[in-house]
PDB file of all heavy atoms in Angstrom:
ATOM      1  N   LEU A   1     -40.951 135.952  74.425  1.00 92.00           N
ATOM      2  CA  LEU A   1     -41.994 136.991  74.742  1.00 92.00           C
ATOM      3  C   LEU A   1     -43.045 137.008  73.623  1.00 92.00           C
ATOM      4  O   LEU A   1     -44.281 137.113  73.953  1.00 92.00           O
ATOM      5  CB  LEU A   1     -41.291 138.233  74.970  1.00 92.00           C
ATOM      6  CG  LEU A   1     -42.222 139.464  75.252  1.00 92.00           C
ATOM      7  CD1 LEU A   1     -42.965 139.173  76.466  1.00 92.00           C
ATOM      8  CD2 LEU A   1     -41.380 140.693  75.370  1.00 92.00           C
ATOM      9  N   THR A   2     -42.519 136.908  72.366  1.00 91.00           N
ATOM     10  CA  THR A   2     -43.513 137.026  71.267  1.00 91.00           C
ATOM     11  C   THR A   2     -44.529 135.866  71.385  1.00 91.00           C
ATOM     12  O   THR A   2     -45.776 136.161  71.247  1.00 91.00           O
ATOM     13  CB  THR A   2     -42.815 137.027  70.007  1.00 91.00           C
ATOM     14  OG1 THR A   2     -42.001 138.083  69.783  1.00 91.00           O
ATOM     15  CG2 THR A   2     -43.724 136.919  68.721  1.00 91.00           C
ATOM     16  N   PHE A   3     -44.086 134.707  71.574  1.00 92.00           N
ATOM     17  CA  PHE A   3     -45.092 133.609  71.634  1.00 92.00           C
ATOM     18  C   PHE A   3     -45.951 133.595  72.923  1.00 92.00           C
ATOM     19  O   PHE A   3     -47.118 133.232  72.827  1.00 92.00           O
ATOM     20  CB  PHE A   3     -44.327 132.277  71.512  1.00 92.00           C
ATOM     21  CG  PHE A   3     -43.787 131.959  70.085  1.00 92.00           C
ATOM     22  CD1 PHE A   3     -42.582 132.024  69.783  1.00 92.00           C
ATOM     23  CD2 PHE A   3     -44.788 131.681  69.093  1.00 92.00           C
ATOM     24  CE1 PHE A   3     -42.190 131.674  68.435  1.00 92.00           C
ATOM     25  CE2 PHE A   3     -44.494 131.379  67.806  1.00 92.00           C
ATOM     26  CZ  PHE A   3     -43.139 131.439  67.519  1.00 92.00           C
ATOM     27  N   LYS A   4     -45.447 134.196  73.959  1.00 94.00           N
ATOM     28  CA  LYS A   4     -46.320 134.348  75.170  1.00 94.00           C
ATOM     29  C   LYS A   4     -47.446 135.422  74.861  1.00 94.00           C
ATOM     30  O   LYS A   4     -48.558 135.257  75.259  1.00 94.00           O
ATOM     31  CB  LYS A   4     -45.421 134.890  76.332  1.00 94.00           C
ATOM     32  CG  LYS A   4     -44.599 133.850  76.929  1.00 94.00           C
ATOM     33  CD  LYS A   4     -43.811 134.359  78.150  1.00 94.00           C
ATOM     34  CE  LYS A   4     -42.833 133.230  78.627  1.00 94.00           C
ATOM     35  NZ  LYS A   4     -41.788 133.840  79.579  1.00 94.00           N
ATOM     36  N   GLN A   5     -47.014 136.460  74.170  1.00 93.00           N
ATOM     37  CA  GLN A   5     -47.944 137.509  73.818  1.00 93.00           C
ATOM     38  C   GLN A   5     -49.047 136.948  72.846  1.00 93.00           C
ATOM     39  O   GLN A   5     -50.299 137.195  73.005  1.00 93.00           O
ATOM     40  CB  GLN A   5     -47.342 138.716  73.227  1.00 93.00           C
ATOM     41  CG  GLN A   5     -46.443 139.566  74.155  1.00 93.00           C
ATOM     42  CD  GLN A   5     -47.293 140.091  75.313  1.00 93.00           C
ATOM     43  OE1 GLN A   5     -48.350 140.680  75.039  1.00 93.00           O
ATOM     44  NE2 GLN A   5     -46.863 139.900  76.577  1.00 93.00           N
ATOM     45  N   ILE A   6     -48.638 136.197  71.910  1.00 93.00           N
ATOM     46  CA  ILE A   6     -49.502 135.559  70.906  1.00 93.00           C
ATOM     47  C   ILE A   6     -50.520 134.628  71.650  1.00 93.00           C
ATOM     48  O   ILE A   6     -51.734 134.657  71.446  1.00 93.00           O
ATOM     49  CB  ILE A   6     -48.842 134.785  69.777  1.00 93.00           C
ATOM     50  CG1 ILE A   6     -48.024 135.785  68.823  1.00 93.00           C
ATOM     51  CG2 ILE A   6     -49.650 133.829  69.077  1.00 93.00           C
ATOM     52  CD1 ILE A   6     -47.113 135.215  67.932  1.00 93.00           C
ATOM     53  N   SER A   7     -49.958 133.779  72.594  1.00 95.00           N
ATOM     54  CA  SER A   7     -50.725 132.928  73.365  1.00 95.00           C
ATOM     55  C   SER A   7     -51.875 133.623  74.133  1.00 95.00           C
ATOM     56  O   SER A   7     -52.927 133.179  74.319  1.00 95.00           O
ATOM     57  CB  SER A   7     -49.880 132.049  74.333  1.00 95.00           C
ATOM     58  OG  SER A   7     -49.125 131.217  73.508  1.00 95.00           O
ATOM     59  N   LYS A   8     -51.437 134.801  74.710  1.00 95.00           N
ATOM     60  CA  LYS A   8     -52.480 135.620  75.513  1.00 95.00           C
ATOM     61  C   LYS A   8     -53.611 136.043  74.619  1.00 95.00           C
ATOM     62  O   LYS A   8     -54.757 136.197  75.159  1.00 95.00           O
ATOM     63  CB  LYS A   8     -51.713 136.783  76.136  1.00 95.00           C
ATOM     64  CG  LYS A   8     -50.927 136.370  77.394  1.00 95.00           C
ATOM     65  CD  LYS A   8     -50.080 137.583  77.879  1.00 95.00           C
ATOM     66  CE  LYS A   8     -50.971 138.856  78.112  1.00 95.00           C
ATOM     67  NZ  LYS A   8     -50.297 139.954  78.737  1.00 95.00           N
ATOM     68  N   LYS A   9     -53.386 136.405  73.427  1.00 94.00           N
ATOM     69  CA  LYS A   9     -54.352 136.904  72.503  1.00 94.00           C
ATOM     70  C   LYS A   9     -55.386 135.831  72.057  1.00 94.00           C
ATOM     71  O   LYS A   9     -56.518 136.154  71.567  1.00 94.00           O
ATOM     72  CB  LYS A   9     -53.842 137.697  71.390  1.00 94.00           C
ATOM     73  CG  LYS A   9     -52.910 138.851  71.828  1.00 94.00           C
ATOM     74  CD  LYS A   9     -53.539 139.759  72.816  1.00 94.00           C
ATOM     75  CE  LYS A   9     -52.586 140.737  73.391  1.00 94.00           C
ATOM     76  NZ  LYS A   9     -53.212 141.566  74.466  1.00 94.00           N
ATOM     77  N   LEU A  10     -54.859 134.575  71.920  1.00 96.00           N
ATOM     78  CA  LEU A  10     -55.698 133.520  71.327  1.00 96.00           C
ATOM     79  C   LEU A  10     -56.675 133.038  72.367  1.00 96.00           C
ATOM     80  O   LEU A  10     -56.391 132.857  73.592  1.00 96.00           O
ATOM     81  CB  LEU A  10     -54.754 132.328  70.940  1.00 96.00           C
ATOM     82  CG  LEU A  10     -53.930 132.651  69.669  1.00 96.00           C
ATOM     83  CD1 LEU A  10     -52.950 131.424  69.500  1.00 96.00           C
ATOM     84  CD2 LEU A  10     -54.711 132.757  68.405  1.00 96.00           C
ATOM     85  N   LYS A  11     -57.871 132.657  71.908  1.00 96.00           N
ATOM     86  CA  LYS A  11     -58.831 131.988  72.632  1.00 96.00           C
ATOM     87  C   LYS A  11     -58.351 130.571  72.945  1.00 96.00           C
ATOM     88  O   LYS A  11     -57.447 130.060  72.295  1.00 96.00           O
ATOM     89  CB  LYS A  11     -60.189 131.881  72.009  1.00 96.00           C
ATOM     90  CG  LYS A  11     -60.888 133.183  71.711  1.00 96.00           C
ATOM     91  CD  LYS A  11     -62.175 132.995  70.957  1.00 96.00           C
ATOM     92  CE  LYS A  11     -62.913 134.227  70.600  1.00 96.00           C
ATOM     93  NZ  LYS A  11     -64.109 134.016  69.754  1.00 96.00           N
ATOM     94  N   LYS A  12     -59.001 129.886  74.014  1.00 95.00           N
ATOM     95  CA  LYS A  12     -58.695 128.510  74.265  1.00 95.00           C
ATOM     96  C   LYS A  12     -58.830 127.728  72.850  1.00 95.00           C
ATOM     97  O   LYS A  12     -59.807 127.945  72.228  1.00 95.00           O
ATOM     98  CB  LYS A  12     -59.609 127.920  75.286  1.00 95.00           C
ATOM     99  CG  LYS A  12     -59.225 126.517  75.683  1.00 95.00           C
ATOM    100  CD  LYS A  12     -60.136 126.052  76.809  1.00 95.00           C
ATOM    101  CE  LYS A  12     -59.757 124.680  77.112  1.00 95.00           C
ATOM    102  NZ  LYS A  12     -60.614 124.038  78.195  1.00 95.00           N
ATOM    103  N   ASN A  13     -57.866 126.926  72.645  1.00 96.00           N
ATOM    104  CA  ASN A  13     -57.775 126.031  71.338  1.00 96.00           C
ATOM    105  C   ASN A  13     -57.622 126.989  70.087  1.00 96.00           C
ATOM    106  O   ASN A  13     -57.832 126.511  69.034  1.00 96.00           O
ATOM    107  CB  ASN A  13     -58.973 125.184  71.215  1.00 96.00           C
ATOM    108  CG  ASN A  13     -59.150 124.180  72.260  1.00 96.00           C
ATOM    109  OD1 ASN A  13     -58.136 123.665  72.713  1.00 96.00           O
ATOM    110  ND2 ASN A  13     -60.227 123.944  72.804  1.00 96.00           N
ATOM    111  N   GLY A  14     -57.157 128.274  70.326  1.00 95.00           N
ATOM    112  CA  GLY A  14     -56.848 129.106  69.274  1.00 95.00           C
ATOM    113  C   GLY A  14     -55.579 128.576  68.515  1.00 95.00           C
ATOM    114  O   GLY A  14     -54.752 127.902  69.093  1.00 95.00           O
ATOM    115  N   VAL A  15     -55.326 129.045  67.365  1.00 96.00           N
ATOM    116  CA  VAL A  15     -54.254 128.489  66.477  1.00 96.00           C
ATOM    117  C   VAL A  15     -53.405 129.635  65.861  1.00 96.00           C
ATOM    118  O   VAL A  15     -54.007 130.678  65.350  1.00 96.00           O
ATOM    119  CB  VAL A  15     -54.855 127.704  65.268  1.00 96.00           C
ATOM    120  CG1 VAL A  15     -53.791 127.185  64.407  1.00 96.00           C
ATOM    121  CG2 VAL A  15     -55.638 126.544  65.870  1.00 96.00           C
ATOM    122  N   LEU A  16     -52.051 129.487  65.924  1.00 93.00           N
ATOM    123  CA  LEU A  16     -51.177 130.309  65.253  1.00 93.00           C
ATOM    124  C   LEU A  16     -50.873 129.674  63.939  1.00 93.00           C
ATOM    125  O   LEU A  16     -50.396 128.549  63.897  1.00 93.00           O
ATOM    126  CB  LEU A  16     -49.880 130.522  65.982  1.00 93.00           C
ATOM    127  CG  LEU A  16     -48.741 131.268  65.312  1.00 93.00           C
ATOM    128  CD1 LEU A  16     -49.069 132.694  64.859  1.00 93.00           C
ATOM    129  CD2 LEU A  16     -47.434 131.294  66.158  1.00 93.00           C
ATOM    130  N   ILE A  17     -51.160 130.299  62.784  1.00 92.00           N
ATOM    131  CA  ILE A  17     -50.705 129.902  61.473  1.00 92.00           C
ATOM    132  C   ILE A  17     -49.623 130.755  61.026  1.00 92.00           C
ATOM    133  O   ILE A  17     -49.771 131.973  60.861  1.00 92.00           O
ATOM    134  CB  ILE A  17     -51.967 129.987  60.510  1.00 92.00           C
ATOM    135  CG1 ILE A  17     -53.144 129.264  61.112  1.00 92.00           C
ATOM    136  CG2 ILE A  17     -51.592 129.541  59.128  1.00 92.00           C
ATOM    137  CD1 ILE A  17     -54.509 129.557  60.337  1.00 92.00           C
ATOM    138  N   CYS A  18     -48.449 130.157  60.881  1.00 88.00           N
ATOM    139  CA  CYS A  18     -47.331 130.963  60.561  1.00 88.00           C
ATOM    140  C   CYS A  18     -46.619 130.454  59.310  1.00 88.00           C
ATOM    141  O   CYS A  18     -46.197 129.402  59.169  1.00 88.00           O
ATOM    142  CB  CYS A  18     -46.323 130.689  61.799  1.00 88.00           C
ATOM    143  SG  CYS A  18     -44.833 131.640  61.803  1.00 88.00           S
ATOM    144  N   PHE A  19     -46.534 131.340  58.335  1.00 86.00           N
ATOM    145  CA  PHE A  19     -45.815 131.199  57.108  1.00 86.00           C
ATOM    146  C   PHE A  19     -44.512 132.101  57.247  1.00 86.00           C
ATOM    147  O   PHE A  19     -44.728 133.257  56.970  1.00 86.00           O
ATOM    148  CB  PHE A  19     -46.620 131.454  55.901  1.00 86.00           C
ATOM    149  CG  PHE A  19     -47.815 130.695  55.756  1.00 86.00           C
ATOM    150  CD1 PHE A  19     -49.096 131.091  56.248  1.00 86.00           C
ATOM    151  CD2 PHE A  19     -47.769 129.468  55.102  1.00 86.00           C
ATOM    152  CE1 PHE A  19     -50.113 130.347  56.070  1.00 86.00           C
ATOM    153  CE2 PHE A  19     -48.903 128.723  54.911  1.00 86.00           C
ATOM    154  CZ  PHE A  19     -50.045 129.094  55.399  1.00 86.00           C
ATOM    155  N   ASP A  20     -43.445 131.550  57.484  1.00 80.00           N
ATOM    156  CA  ASP A  20     -42.246 132.379  57.785  1.00 80.00           C
ATOM    157  C   ASP A  20     -41.033 131.645  57.428  1.00 80.00           C
ATOM    158  O   ASP A  20     -41.043 130.504  57.275  1.00 80.00           O
ATOM    159  CB  ASP A  20     -42.226 132.808  59.243  1.00 80.00           C
ATOM    160  CG  ASP A  20     -41.641 134.201  59.443  1.00 80.00           C
ATOM    161  OD1 ASP A  20     -40.640 134.528  58.830  1.00 80.00           O
ATOM    162  OD2 ASP A  20     -42.171 135.010  60.179  1.00 80.00           O
ATOM    163  N   ARG A  21     -39.897 132.339  57.449  1.00 72.00           N
ATOM    164  CA  ARG A  21     -38.533 131.800  57.195  1.00 72.00           C
ATOM    165  C   ARG A  21     -38.205 131.045  58.471  1.00 72.00           C
ATOM    166  O   ARG A  21     -38.308 131.620  59.552  1.00 72.00           O
ATOM    167  CB  ARG A  21     -37.618 132.896  56.825  1.00 72.00           C
ATOM    168  CG  ARG A  21     -38.031 133.747  55.724  1.00 72.00           C
ATOM    169  CD  ARG A  21     -37.175 134.972  55.712  1.00 72.00           C
ATOM    170  NE  ARG A  21     -37.937 136.023  55.006  1.00 72.00           N
ATOM    171  CZ  ARG A  21     -37.336 136.924  54.249  1.00 72.00           C
ATOM    172  NH1 ARG A  21     -36.143 136.844  54.009  1.00 72.00           N
ATOM    173  NH2 ARG A  21     -38.077 137.788  53.599  1.00 72.00           N
ATOM    174  N   GLY A  22     -37.613 129.943  58.266  1.00 68.00           N
ATOM    175  CA  GLY A  22     -37.084 129.237  59.475  1.00 68.00           C
ATOM    176  C   GLY A  22     -35.803 128.447  58.985  1.00 68.00           C
ATOM    177  O   GLY A  22     -35.965 127.581  58.105  1.00 68.00           O
ATOM    178  N   MET A  23     -34.736 128.773  59.391  1.00 65.00           N
ATOM    179  CA  MET A  23     -33.469 128.172  59.002  1.00 65.00           C
ATOM    180  C   MET A  23     -32.653 127.838  60.314  1.00 65.00           C
ATOM    181  O   MET A  23     -32.610 128.561  61.195  1.00 65.00           O
ATOM    182  CB  MET A  23     -32.676 129.093  58.179  1.00 65.00           C
ATOM    183  CG  MET A  23     -33.293 129.602  56.943  1.00 65.00           C
ATOM    184  SD  MET A  23     -33.639 128.384  55.710  1.00 65.00           S
ATOM    185  CE  MET A  23     -34.580 129.305  54.546  1.00 65.00           C
ATOM    186  N   PRO A  24     -31.972 126.696  60.229  1.00 64.00           N
ATOM    187  CA  PRO A  24     -31.029 126.404  61.386  1.00 64.00           C
ATOM    188  C   PRO A  24     -29.940 127.422  61.398  1.00 64.00           C
ATOM    189  O   PRO A  24     -29.593 128.051  60.325  1.00 64.00           O
ATOM    190  CB  PRO A  24     -30.527 124.925  61.059  1.00 64.00           C
ATOM    191  CG  PRO A  24     -31.476 124.385  59.973  1.00 64.00           C
ATOM    192  CD  PRO A  24     -32.100 125.599  59.301  1.00 64.00           C
ATOM    193  N   ASN A  25     -29.370 127.527  62.514  1.00 65.00           N
ATOM    194  CA  ASN A  25     -28.280 128.565  62.671  1.00 65.00           C
ATOM    195  C   ASN A  25     -27.126 128.337  61.829  1.00 65.00           C
ATOM    196  O   ASN A  25     -26.334 129.229  61.407  1.00 65.00           O
ATOM    197  CB  ASN A  25     -27.833 128.685  64.193  1.00 65.00           C
ATOM    198  CG  ASN A  25     -28.960 129.383  65.038  1.00 65.00           C
ATOM    199  OD1 ASN A  25     -29.667 130.084  64.512  1.00 65.00           O
ATOM    200  ND2 ASN A  25     -28.805 129.150  66.258  1.00 65.00           N
ATOM    201  N   HIS A  26     -26.909 127.027  61.399  1.00 67.00           N
ATOM    202  CA  HIS A  26     -25.702 126.751  60.576  1.00 67.00           C
ATOM    203  C   HIS A  26     -25.907 127.103  59.073  1.00 67.00           C
ATOM    204  O   HIS A  26     -24.970 127.009  58.306  1.00 67.00           O
ATOM    205  CB  HIS A  26     -25.240 125.225  60.752  1.00 67.00           C
ATOM    206  CG  HIS A  26     -26.321 124.339  60.170  1.00 67.00           C
ATOM    207  ND1 HIS A  26     -27.360 123.877  60.836  1.00 67.00           N
ATOM    208  CD2 HIS A  26     -26.405 123.758  58.877  1.00 67.00           C
ATOM    209  CE1 HIS A  26     -28.153 123.073  60.089  1.00 67.00           C
ATOM    210  NE2 HIS A  26     -27.514 123.006  58.942  1.00 67.00           N
ATOM    211  N   VAL A  27     -27.087 127.505  58.750  1.00 64.00           N
ATOM    212  CA  VAL A  27     -27.298 127.838  57.256  1.00 64.00           C
ATOM    213  C   VAL A  27     -26.783 129.203  57.097  1.00 64.00           C
ATOM    214  O   VAL A  27     -27.158 130.174  57.791  1.00 64.00           O
ATOM    215  CB  VAL A  27     -28.848 127.749  56.948  1.00 64.00           C
ATOM    216  CG1 VAL A  27     -29.055 128.301  55.506  1.00 64.00           C
ATOM    217  CG2 VAL A  27     -29.335 126.413  57.077  1.00 64.00           C
ATOM    218  N   THR A  28     -25.914 129.425  56.062  1.00 69.00           N
ATOM    219  CA  THR A  28     -25.347 130.732  55.708  1.00 69.00           C
ATOM    220  C   THR A  28     -26.386 131.468  54.993  1.00 69.00           C
ATOM    221  O   THR A  28     -27.365 131.084  54.531  1.00 69.00           O
ATOM    222  CB  THR A  28     -24.012 130.586  54.921  1.00 69.00           C
ATOM    223  OG1 THR A  28     -24.409 130.032  53.711  1.00 69.00           O
ATOM    224  CG2 THR A  28     -23.053 129.701  55.651  1.00 69.00           C
ATOM    225  N   LYS A  29     -26.104 132.793  54.882  1.00 67.00           N
ATOM    226  CA  LYS A  29     -27.010 133.714  54.066  1.00 67.00           C
ATOM    227  C   LYS A  29     -26.994 133.387  52.612  1.00 67.00           C
ATOM    228  O   LYS A  29     -27.950 133.668  51.900  1.00 67.00           O
ATOM    229  CB  LYS A  29     -26.560 135.112  54.336  1.00 67.00           C
ATOM    230  CG  LYS A  29     -26.902 135.680  55.707  1.00 67.00           C
ATOM    231  CD  LYS A  29     -26.604 137.060  55.852  1.00 67.00           C
ATOM    232  CE  LYS A  29     -26.993 137.600  57.268  1.00 67.00           C
ATOM    233  NZ  LYS A  29     -26.790 138.932  57.433  1.00 67.00           N
ATOM    234  N   LYS A  30     -25.973 132.806  52.045  1.00 65.00           N
ATOM    235  CA  LYS A  30     -25.895 132.580  50.587  1.00 65.00           C
ATOM    236  C   LYS A  30     -27.077 131.631  50.161  1.00 65.00           C
ATOM    237  O   LYS A  30     -27.755 132.015  49.159  1.00 65.00           O
ATOM    238  CB  LYS A  30     -24.530 131.926  50.231  1.00 65.00           C
ATOM    239  CG  LYS A  30     -24.416 131.796  48.720  1.00 65.00           C
ATOM    240  CD  LYS A  30     -23.025 131.320  48.382  1.00 65.00           C
ATOM    241  CE  LYS A  30     -22.993 131.109  46.826  1.00 65.00           C
ATOM    242  NZ  LYS A  30     -21.737 130.616  46.316  1.00 65.00           N
ATOM    243  N   PRO A  31     -27.307 130.452  50.692  1.00 56.00           N
ATOM    244  CA  PRO A  31     -28.458 129.612  50.232  1.00 56.00           C
ATOM    245  C   PRO A  31     -29.709 130.297  50.498  1.00 56.00           C
ATOM    246  O   PRO A  31     -30.733 130.031  49.704  1.00 56.00           O
ATOM    247  CB  PRO A  31     -28.353 128.372  51.005  1.00 56.00           C
ATOM    248  CG  PRO A  31     -26.992 128.355  51.710  1.00 56.00           C
ATOM    249  CD  PRO A  31     -26.618 129.796  51.859  1.00 56.00           C
ATOM    250  N   VAL A  32     -29.879 131.212  51.383  1.00 56.00           N
ATOM    251  CA  VAL A  32     -31.166 131.846  51.730  1.00 56.00           C
ATOM    252  C   VAL A  32     -31.431 133.017  50.727  1.00 56.00           C
ATOM    253  O   VAL A  32     -32.512 133.270  50.355  1.00 56.00           O
ATOM    254  CB  VAL A  32     -31.156 132.346  53.174  1.00 56.00           C
ATOM    255  CG1 VAL A  32     -32.366 133.142  53.500  1.00 56.00           C
ATOM    256  CG2 VAL A  32     -30.954 131.201  54.138  1.00 56.00           C
ATOM    257  N   SER A  33     -30.366 133.601  50.195  1.00 59.00           N
ATOM    258  CA  SER A  33     -30.474 134.773  49.390  1.00 59.00           C
ATOM    259  C   SER A  33     -30.854 134.429  47.978  1.00 59.00           C
ATOM    260  O   SER A  33     -30.436 133.310  47.457  1.00 59.00           O
ATOM    261  CB  SER A  33     -29.203 135.550  49.231  1.00 59.00           C
ATOM    262  OG  SER A  33     -29.178 136.538  48.239  1.00 59.00           O
ATOM    263  N   TYR A  34     -31.835 135.000  47.360  1.00 54.00           N
ATOM    264  CA  TYR A  34     -32.318 134.792  46.014  1.00 54.00           C
ATOM    265  C   TYR A  34     -31.410 135.497  44.999  1.00 54.00           C
ATOM    266  O   TYR A  34     -31.608 135.289  43.777  1.00 54.00           O
ATOM    267  CB  TYR A  34     -33.735 135.142  45.855  1.00 54.00           C
ATOM    268  CG  TYR A  34     -34.638 134.255  46.714  1.00 54.00           C
ATOM    269  CD1 TYR A  34     -35.169 134.765  47.937  1.00 54.00           C
ATOM    270  CD2 TYR A  34     -34.890 132.947  46.398  1.00 54.00           C
ATOM    271  CE1 TYR A  34     -35.970 133.951  48.648  1.00 54.00           C
ATOM    272  CE2 TYR A  34     -35.662 132.177  47.097  1.00 54.00           C
ATOM    273  CZ  TYR A  34     -36.187 132.725  48.322  1.00 54.00           C
ATOM    274  OH  TYR A  34     -37.066 131.892  49.147  1.00 54.00           O
ATOM    275  N   THR A  35     -30.591 136.345  45.437  1.00 52.00           N
ATOM    276  CA  THR A  35     -29.754 137.157  44.471  1.00 52.00           C
ATOM    277  C   THR A  35     -28.733 136.370  43.756  1.00 52.00           C
ATOM    278  O   THR A  35     -28.295 136.796  42.718  1.00 52.00           O
ATOM    279  CB  THR A  35     -29.054 138.300  45.195  1.00 52.00           C
ATOM    280  OG1 THR A  35     -28.227 137.744  46.206  1.00 52.00           O
ATOM    281  CG2 THR A  35     -30.088 139.245  45.799  1.00 52.00           C
TER     282      THR A  35
END
């Protein structure tokens, strides 16, 4: 739903620039945590 909503707001040939966390499901929280 989020990507559908984003697509609706973008003009034709609009771009989503995304700087975010992305981890496969098998990655545990320990390697992701900086603590």
Side-chain angles (χ1 to χ4, degrees):
L1 178 58
T2 297
F3 284 111
K4 284 179 187 173
Q5 291 298 312
I6 288 170
S7 294
K8 284 174 52 176
K9 303 307 171 184
L10 289 170
K11 294 178 183 176
K12 184 178 181 181
N13 298 319
V15 177
L16 169 62
I17 304 165
C18 186
F19 297 95
D20 211 317
R21 306 164 203 219
M23 306 288 173
N25 289 336
H26 66 272
V27 174
T28 65
K29 289 185 179 184
K30 185 176 180 182
V32 177
S33 171
Y34 295 103
T35 58

